[in-house]
C-alpha cells in the first residue's frame, strides 16, 4: 500500500533541503507533510571531498535562511563580502581595476556572505532532520514516476510506492525527474573547466572578493572565514586537466602564478575539484 505526502522532493542536496524546510520545516506557519528522496545518503554530502565549492549567499538569500530558521547556525561559517574588485589582466603582476564596490556601495550591509557548501548542507540537513513534518527516504533510487490523472506517484527500487499532489525535481542538472515529466532541456558545453580549491594565506583578506578576467577565463578569489579563500579558477579543458594532475608542488606553482602575492604566502588546504562548464535551460 502506498503512502501519501503533500509534497515529494527528489534530491537531498542544497536546493532540495531548502524547499523541504520552506514547506515543512519548523519555521513554516502551516507545515506540509514532505518526503525527501535521494538515492544516496545525504549525510555524506557535507564534506569538502564531496563538494569543495562555496556559495555567495546574497542579502536576499540570507533573509530566506533567516526565515527558514538556519541562519543563526550558519553565521559562524559565513564570511561577509565587504569589498569586490574586478580586473582585466593577463597576469598577476599588472591588474588594472575595472570595477570596484566598497562599503559606500553597500549602505544596508554586506551584499553577500561566502559560505562553504559543506557548512550549508550540514545546517540545512540538521534542520530538516529535526522537523517532524519532513520524512526522508534515502539510499534507494527511484524506479519510476507516474503523473496523473489524480495524484502523482513515485516507486522506489525497493518496491516502496509514494503518492503526492506535487513532485519537486531537485535531483541535479541531469534530473531524471525532469525527464520523466517531459520537460525539455536545451544547452551546450564550453571548452573550459573550473578548478575549485580552498587556500590559506598569510595576510587577512579583509572581506575582499577579487575576480580577475584572464584570457583563459575568470580567476576568482572569494573570502572565507579566517585567512582562507575559495578559488574558482577557469582554464581551457585540456589545460585544467593537466594542472589538476600535477603533483602538489607543481600545482601550487601554477596557482601562485595566477594568484599573486597580495595576501602573502599561499598554501592549498583542500582537495582539488574540476567542474566542466556548461549552460542549460529547462
Amino acid at each position: 500500500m502506498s503512502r501519501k505526502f503533500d509534497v515529494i522532493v527528489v534530491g537531498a542536496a542544497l536546493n532540495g533541503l531548502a524547499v523541504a524546510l520552506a514547506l515543512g520545516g519548523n519555521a513554516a506557519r502551516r507545515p506540509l507533510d514532505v518526503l525527501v528522496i535521494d538515492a544516496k545518503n545525504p549525510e555524506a554530502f557535507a564534506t569538502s571531498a564531496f563538494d569543495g565549492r562555496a556559495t555567495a549567499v546574497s542579502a536576499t538569500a540570507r533573509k530566506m535562511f533567516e526565515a527558514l530558521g538556519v541562519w543563526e547556525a550558519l553565521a559562524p561559517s559565513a564570511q561577509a563580502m565587504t569589498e569586490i574588485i574586478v580586473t582585466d589582466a593577463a597576469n598577476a603582476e599588472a591588474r588594472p581595476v575595472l570595477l570596484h564596490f566598497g562599503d559606500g556601495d553597500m549602505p544596508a550591509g554586506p551584499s553577500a556572505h561566502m559560505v562553504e557548501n559543506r557548512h550549508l548542507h550540514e545546517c540545512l540537513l540538521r534542520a530538516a532532520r529535526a522537523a517532524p513534518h519532513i520524512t526522508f527516504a534515502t539510499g534507494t533510487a527511484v524506479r519510476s514516476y507516474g503523473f496523473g490523472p489524480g495524484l502523482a506517484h513515485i516507486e522506489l527500487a525497493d518496491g516502496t510506492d509514494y503518492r503526492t499532489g506535487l513532485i519537486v525535481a531537485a535531483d541535479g542538472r541531469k534530473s531524471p525527474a525532469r525527464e520523466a515529466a517531459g520537460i525539455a532541456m536545451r544547452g551546450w558545453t564550453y571548452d573550459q573547466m573550473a578548478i575549485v580549491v580552498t587556500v590559506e594565506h598569510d595576510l587577512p583578506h579583509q572581506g575582499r572578493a577579487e575576480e580577475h578576467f584572464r584570457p583563459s577565463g575568470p580567476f576568482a578569489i572569494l573570502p572565507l572565514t579566517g585567512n582562507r579563500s575559495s578559488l574558482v579558477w577557469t582554464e581551457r579543458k585540456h589545460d585544467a586537466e593537466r594542472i589538476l594532475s600535477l603533483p602538489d608542488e607543481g600545482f601550487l606553482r601554477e596557482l601562485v602564478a595566477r594568484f599573486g602575492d597580495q595576501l602573502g604566502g599561499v598554501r592549498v588546504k583542500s582537495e582539488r575539484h574540476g567542474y566542466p562548464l556548461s549552460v542549460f535551460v529547462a
Side-chain angles (χ1 to χ4, degrees):
M1 183 175 179
S2 63
R3 183 176 173 187
K4 180 179 179 297
F5 288 87
D6 295 320
V7 179
I8 294 178
V9 178
V10 184
L14 300 181
N15 291 325
L17 292 177
V19 170
L21 284 171
L23 299 177
N26 290 334
R29 293 181 181 177
R30 296 180 181 177
L32 302 176
D33 288 323
V34 178
L35 174 68
V36 179
I37 294 175
D38 201 295
K40 298 179 180 179
N41 176 12
E43 304 290 346
F45 298 172
T47 65
S48 59
F50 179 82
D51 189 343
R53 295 168 296 180
T55 293
V57 177
S58 68
T60 301
R62 173 183 170 172
K63 292 179 180 178
M64 180 192 75
F65 286 129
E66 289 172 348
L68 296 180
V70 298
W71 181 252
E72 185 176 353
L74 270 176
S77 304
Q79 170 62 51
M81 192 184 295
T82 57
E83 184 182 10
I84 302 169
I85 65 168
V86 178
T87 76
D88 187 5
N91 56 63
E93 284 72 39
R95 286 174 167 166
V97 175
L98 299 180
L99 294 172
H100 176 263
F101 303 94
D103 289 339
D105 302 298
M106 310 175 194
S111 62
H113 287 75
M114 290 302 305
V115 184
E116 291 161 273
N117 282 9
R118 60 192 177 100
H119 295 311
L120 272 174
H121 192 274
E122 181 182 24
C123 289
L124 290 170
L125 182 60
R126 188 186 306 125
R129 292 285 196 197
H133 287 271
I134 299 177
T135 302
F136 283 83
T138 59
T140 304
V142 175
R143 176 185 292 164
S144 66
Y145 293 88
F147 301 98
L151 296 176
H153 73 86
I154 290 179
E155 183 184 5
L156 302 186
D158 62 6
T160 309
D161 188 81
Y162 298 103
R163 295 177 299 137
T164 184
L166 175 66
I167 295 174
V168 177
D171 50 344
R173 64 186 178 92
K174 295 181 180 179
S175 168
R178 175 193 53 75
E179 290 183 1
I183 300 172
M185 188 168 71
R186 300 286 184 268
W188 57 87
T189 59
Y190 296 99
D191 182 30
Q192 289 175 300
M193 179 180 286
I195 300 171
V196 176
V197 68
T198 299
V199 299
E200 181 181 64
H201 32 78
D202 293 337
L203 302 177
H205 47 56
Q206 307 293 353
R208 183 181 65 217
E210 303 180 15
E211 181 128 27
H212 306 294
F213 283 90
R214 305 176 62 256
S216 60
F219 185 91
I221 305 172
L222 306 169
L224 300 176
T225 53
N227 282 12
R228 300 182 307 131
S229 294
S230 175
L231 304 189
V232 182
W233 164 9
T234 307
E235 295 285 349
R236 295 294 182 187
K237 191 171 184 291
H238 70 277
D239 289 329
E241 290 171 343
R242 175 188 63 80
I243 292 168
L244 285 166
S245 68
L246 290 172
D248 292 346
E249 183 178 342
F251 181 80
L252 181 61
R253 185 165 52 248
E254 295 271 3
L255 187 157
V256 170
R258 295 158 177 80
F259 190 97
D261 59 3
Q262 68 275 20
L263 294 176
V266 179
R267 296 162 294 281
V268 175
K269 300 299 289 185
S270 74
E271 297 87 349
R272 312 170 193 174
H273 296 268
Y275 297 95
L277 300 182
S278 56
V279 59
F280 292 99
V281 178

